[in-house]
Amino acid sequence: MQFTELPTPCYVVDKTLMEKNLKTLKGVADLTGARILLAQKAFSMYVLYPLIGRFLGGATASGLYEARLCAEEMVQPAAAAGIKLENHIFSPAYQETDFAKILQYCDHIVFNSWKQVEKFGPRAKAAGKSIGLRINPECSTQEGHAIYDPCAPGSRLGVTKDNFSRIFETGSGGRLLSMLDGLHFHTLCEQDSDDLERTLSAVEEKFGQYLPHMKWINFGGGHHITRADYCLPRLERCVRRMQQHYGLTVYLEPGEAVALNAGFLITTVLETLHNGIDIAVLDTSAACHMPDVLEMPYRPPLQNSGQPGEKAYTYRLGGPTCLAGDVIGDYSFDQPLSEGDRLVFEDMAIYSMVKNNTFNGMPLPAIALREKDGECRIIKQFGYADFRERLS
Ligand SMILES: *Cc1c(COP(=O)(O)O)cnc(C)c1O
């Protein structure tokens, strides 16, 4: 099937573009010896896990379900081909009822507090797992996106320096510290390696004394490694600094960077109207199919369009839901839009499929793959049952 023949709305992930990202990431891993994992919460289109597993060292999960998906769709198929991939997990708090399964699926388990280490750590160590503690270097490097800043005051994510050292006032400090194999931090969001470098300095200043006791350090995600202007040499220096000063294995777990600019959301214009401005109603919804447009918020790139007023015809593009704010943005075009026109939003592989919902009874977009020869294949289509099943 051709791209232009796909039904709408439809997410399309392009294999050539995915491989381009994966090659860049593998290049960093090959050059430095860092291990790079897919953060599944950004992208879990598991039909591509065998491809991803050929380039990356494995994946990381935010909970039991993602851990199982990695085990079944990435680690096991790779193992059958003789390749050992890693399955990591981090959660702010693990559930007792999940933990036995987590031990079954995961190799690395990262905890968010000393209390969690105390509660689950001995079982994880007895099962031969590598365990880590997430630290909070209290070094905010991002402006604007407060909800994406785990270093903001009052954050529940990661152990601050004070909370880290407080454990040594109790009798258990030495025992708990000796259980740890690594430290983990995740503080970046769509950032370059200058912010990583600053963060690493904060990590060394606040936690440097503990690093010689560790086997690994995990730099988390938020590294925009596959963006054209990302500074790779500085990332490589950051990795080497941890390897050379402390003898640590370095992990990176990008989500965005793995599938950045590798997917599309195709939509059709259902109706045009005018209320002071020209408006087009699409068969896709910001609220349901690209929620980060409203949450982040951001303006997704749209093919053959310009900023408002840049081209002759400007439209406000909105979804077919009841939500007044279900607006994707204002875009301009060379020709007026009309019913049946197809529009192609770009950079729609990440934080899209994993976050969508059926608010208003909206259908879920189909999921398709564009092969290297341009041929498109529908991987999955959804219907009424997918809406109904989740509601009672
Ligand atoms: C979100 C997250 C990631 C991935 O972040 P990206 O911004 O998608 O690269 C990695 N690790 C942890 C702990 C996260 O919460």
Side-chain angles (χ1 to χ4, degrees):
M1 188 182 284
Q2 293 299 301
F3 191 82
T4 50
E5 295 167 335
L6 288 166
T8 70
C10 183
Y11 300 111
V12 190
V13 173
D14 185 298
K15 252 187 169 167
T16 309
L17 298 173
M18 275 297 291
E19 261 199 49
K20 187 166 164 262
N21 287 342
L22 291 166
K23 279 181 182 150
T24 301
L25 295 167
K26 185 173 185 326
V28 173
D30 288 347
L31 195 65
T32 61
R35 299 196 59 101
I36 304 187
L37 313 168
L38 162 72
Q40 294 175 92
K41 74 160 193 259
F43 183 80
S44 306
M45 186 178 162
Y46 57 88
V47 68
L48 286 172
Y49 280 12
L51 174 77
I52 293 170
R54 294 215 313 271
F55 290 88
L56 302 186
T60 184
S62 316
L64 175 60
Y65 289 174
E66 285 182 356
R68 178 174 171 179
L69 194 68
C70 171
E72 293 180 354
E73 306 295 338
M74 195 184 291
V75 175
Q76 284 163 20
I83 299 161
K84 165 89 182 87
L85 296 178
E86 295 180 31
N87 193 348
H88 292 218
I89 189 168
F90 163 77
S91 171
Y94 293 99
Q95 302 232 25
E96 187 57 53
T97 45
D98 289 350
F99 206 71
K101 280 267 163 53
I102 287 170
L103 288 179
Q104 180 190 323
Y105 294 129
C106 297
D107 313 294
H108 276 230
I109 301 172
V110 177
F111 298 102
N112 191 51
S113 65
W114 282 124
K115 259 165 75 186
Q116 288 267 303
V117 174
E118 178 80 273
K119 184 172 176 189
F120 295 109
R123 261 180 280 171
K125 293 303 286 183
K129 307 301 173 179
S130 196
I131 75 169
L133 183 60
R134 177 167 174 172
I135 53 173
N136 174 358
E138 297 176 273
C139 173
S140 291
T141 51
Q142 39 183 322
E143 298 113 45
H145 298 308
I147 71 163
Y148 295 107
D149 183 7
C151 294
S155 171
R156 72 187 183 293
L157 300 168
V159 183
T160 59
K161 177 183 191 282
D162 283 353
N163 282 337
F164 197 102
S165 52
R166 206 159 284 147
I167 197 74
F168 300 103
E169 294 162 13
T170 73
S172 346
R175 177 175 55 85
L176 290 179
L177 182 69
S178 71
M179 259 162 52
L180 295 184
D181 300 287
L183 295 181
H184 175 291
F185 66 86
H186 169 71
T187 66
L188 305 180
C189 177
E190 303 188 335
Q191 281 163 283
D192 206 329
S193 46
D194 52 344
D195 291 327
L196 171 63
E197 196 169 50
R198 266 177 65 201
T199 302
L200 266 188
S201 294
V203 167
E204 282 190 282
E205 186 200 314
K206 298 189 162 105
F207 301 94
Q209 60 173 302
Y210 307 110
L211 291 175
H213 300 283
M214 301 298 154
K215 298 189 181 74
W216 51 262
I217 186 164
N218 188 320
F219 292 178
H223 317 279
H224 241 187
I225 299 171
T226 49
R227 198 175 66 201
D229 60 354
Y230 184 90
C231 179
L232 286 171
R234 195 168 34 212
L235 169 64
E236 288 153 12
R237 286 200 298 277
C238 287
V239 171
R240 293 224 164 86
R241 183 166 143 197
M242 291 295 117
Q243 293 170 330
Q244 287 166 4
H245 289 193
Y246 306 100
L248 297 170
T249 297
V250 175
Y251 287 94
L252 294 161
E253 43 182 38
E256 282 221 22
V258 175
L260 187 68
N261 291 314
F264 307 90
L265 175 55
I266 321 176
T267 177
T268 300
V269 175
L270 298 177
E271 173 72 310
T272 56
L273 28 117
H274 189 89
N275 177 19
I277 51 167
D278 286 317
I279 299 165
V281 181
L282 311 179
D283 67 356
T284 194
S285 154
C288 300
H289 305 151
M290 42 181 119
D292 268 3
V293 165
L294 305 182
E295 272 178 39
M296 187 113 179
Y298 82 104
R299 174 189 158 92
L302 173 64
Q303 284 182 1
N304 303 317
S305 77
Q307 292 294 326
E310 186 182 334
K311 292 173 179 266
Y313 302 92
T314 296
Y315 287 83
R316 179 157 299 169
L317 304 180
T321 68
C322 70
L323 178 71
D326 190 358
V327 168
I328 300 154
D330 294 355
Y331 296 80
S332 66
F333 303 88
D334 289 326
Q335 304 294 329
L337 292 181
S338 47
E339 191 186 323
D341 285 352
R342 286 161 70 98
L343 300 177
V344 180
F345 288 100
E346 296 183 331
D347 198 19
M348 278 293 156
I350 46 176
Y351 294 106
S352 54
M353 289 170 249
V354 289
K355 288 190 101 173
N356 63 16
N357 63 77
T358 60
F359 181 49
N360 277 230
M362 281 289 294
L364 295 171
I367 295 174
L369 197 57
R370 181 153 71 182
E371 298 290 344
K372 288 185 184 163
D373 60 4
E375 185 69 18
C376 293
R377 188 153 62 87
I378 297 173
I379 304 296
K380 187 97 193 230
Q381 277 181 296
F382 302 92
Y384 173 66
D386 298 287
F387 162 65
R388 183 177 184 273
E389 283 305 301
R390 291 172 53 239
L391 294 172
S392 47

